[in-house]
Each structure stands twice: as structure tokens, then as C-alpha cells.
Amino acid sequence: MSIIVYSKPACVQCTATTRALDAKGISYDVVDLTEDTTALTRVTEMGYRQAPVVEANGEHWSGFRPDMIARLAS
């Protein structure tokens, strides 16, 4: 399973998301939206305007979503 967390610096919800993934032992890659314009374009095209955006198993969501993270762990 490939999980990407599109993030930005000093983002409280981004930190909460990665901490929750870490706590559940779920591996992921972080992409900094302030440094990767291609990733920023992709996230914008998906319709998101806030970070984090998590992409996993063909699904994606924005914000800190413990419910969605729990689904990844099961």
C-alpha cells in the first residue's frame, strides 16, 4: 500500500496526521507542497485547498481524519 501525505511546514493538522500514522505503524511518504509545484498542482486539481491531503489506495482526503487513518490500519 502506497500512502502519500501532501504537507506544508508548520501545519498542525499535517503533524497530527503523520503522528497518527506513526502510532499505527503505517508507513507513508511526505511531499512538501511548498517545495514541489507538481504536487501542489495535483492536489489543487483534486479540489483541495488545505493541507494535509492524504492519498492512499486510490482514495484521498484532506485534513486530520482519524476515521480514515483507522481504516488504513484495518
Side-chain angles (χ1 to χ4, degrees):
M1 167 172 33
S2 173
I3 299 172
I4 302 171
V5 178
Y6 298 98
S7 183
K8 63 182 183 176
C11 169
V12 174
Q13 290 190 32
C14 301
T15 301
T17 297
T18 56
R19 284 186 181 164
L21 290 167
D22 290 341
K24 296 201 177 292
I26 300 170
S27 62
Y28 56 91
D29 294 311
V30 175
V31 177
D32 187 335
L33 293 170
T34 64
E35 295 181 3
D36 189 332
T37 57
T38 303
L40 180 59
T41 300
R42 176 171 173 71
V43 166
T44 303
E45 287 174 351
M46 285 191 277
Y48 297 112
R49 303 252 184 254
Q50 73 176 35
V53 173
V54 179
E55 190 172 16
N57 298 331
E59 294 183 310
H60 44 83
W61 69 85
S62 179
F64 176 53
R65 296 282 308 271
D67 59 323
M68 297 299 282
I69 293 169
R71 285 180 43 191
L72 295 175
S74 56

